[in-house]
Amino acid sequence: MTAFAALHRPGEPLLLPCAWDHASALALAGLGFRAVGTTSLGVAAAAGLPDGAAATRDETLRLALTLGSGPFLLSVDVESGFSDDPAEVGELARHLAAVGAVGINLEDALGPADRHAAKIAAVRRAAPGLFVNARTDTYWSGDGDWSDTLRRLDAYREAGADGVFVPGLTDPARIASLTARLDVPLNVLHSPAGPALPHLADLGVSRVSLGSLLYRRALGAALETAAGIRAGRDPGGPAPTYDEVSSLTGY
């Protein structure tokens, strides 16, 4: 078992914050997070490109190259692998592992389950040590069809996924039924409308991702600060100093 896989413990879930650049990743590691993910929305928005449209392969690889040698375990959000060709997805995984990534998040975007399973299998062959978190979007962008969710999760597990991810699932009873049914870690997305972290731990969840939340909160704080200063108010809330941010570059 890899060090990253060992962090996925039912009842004591890995809380995975997601960074969008070098500074955010290093700052999160500085708070004591042993593992950091990336957010595809943050990477795409920073580059002025659409999220979930296979448009940020180069930007994702570039960020992984920057972060792969950092003082934390890196899991990379690769959307659907930026290709429908399993061999190309496997090659991407090989590149990511070579620059230091220990895991990937690979989503099905509600495409054919057999195609996603083939991508997972290709990643397993190309980068055997990489933790594959197989995501299904049946709740995130679908209608929450339970039978389809189970069918997809079974297919992805059989293809070699190390863990499965069902963003948008917030019902405690269904979360508990999945943790009881699965023989791999269950990942859920933190939701203000869903169970809090201690409750998710009690339900047997092994990983809780923050997704794009930190990026959106940072953008929201920037907008609030600018609007407040324009209105004559002093900005509130904490802000790192110039020197503190500069120190994150290592120079």
Side-chain angles (χ1 to χ4, degrees), residues 57-101:
R57 184 183 188 278
D58 291 346
E59 287 75 13
T60 299
L61 280 170
R62 191 176 301 117
L63 180 60
L65 179 61
T66 301
L67 300 181
S69 59
F72 50 84
L73 300 170
L74 174 67
S75 181
V76 180
D77 185 344
V78 296
E79 299 183 3
S80 300
F82 307 115
S83 175
D84 287 338
D85 182 350
E88 291 184 3
V89 178
E91 185 63 11
L92 170 69
R94 188 186 66 78
H95 281 302
L96 290 170
V99 300

Side-chain angles (χ1 to χ4, degrees), residues 99-184:
V99 300
V102 298
I104 61 168
N105 188 69
L106 187 63
E107 64 195 53
D108 64 13
L110 293 182
D114 57 349
R115 183 176 69 198
H116 199 60
K119 292 181 183 182
I120 294 166
V123 171
R124 288 262 59 86
R125 292 190 297 270
L130 205 62
F131 188 102
V132 181
N133 197 43
R135 166 178 151 176
T136 182
D137 290 319
T138 51
Y139 275 79
W140 189 243
S141 54
D143 58 8
D145 185 314
W146 187 239
S147 61
D148 187 33
T149 300
L150 296 179
R151 178 179 66 85
R152 287 173 180 269
L153 295 183
D154 286 345
Y156 304 160
R157 176 65 191 97
E158 290 172 8
D162 299 287
V164 293
F165 184 20
V166 191
L169 177 62
T170 58
D171 179 68
R174 289 200 162 175
I175 292 173
S177 71
L178 277 183
T179 59
R181 184 178 192 273
L182 293 166
D183 62 352
V184 295

Side-chain angles (χ1 to χ4, degrees), residues 195-223:
L197 185 61
H199 191 185
L200 291 172
D202 291 341
L203 295 172
V205 171
S206 297
R207 172 166 156 181
V208 179
S209 296
L210 295 186
S212 65
L213 177 62
L214 299 182
Y215 177 78
R216 292 182 288 110
R217 292 278 294 183
L219 185 58
L223 295 173

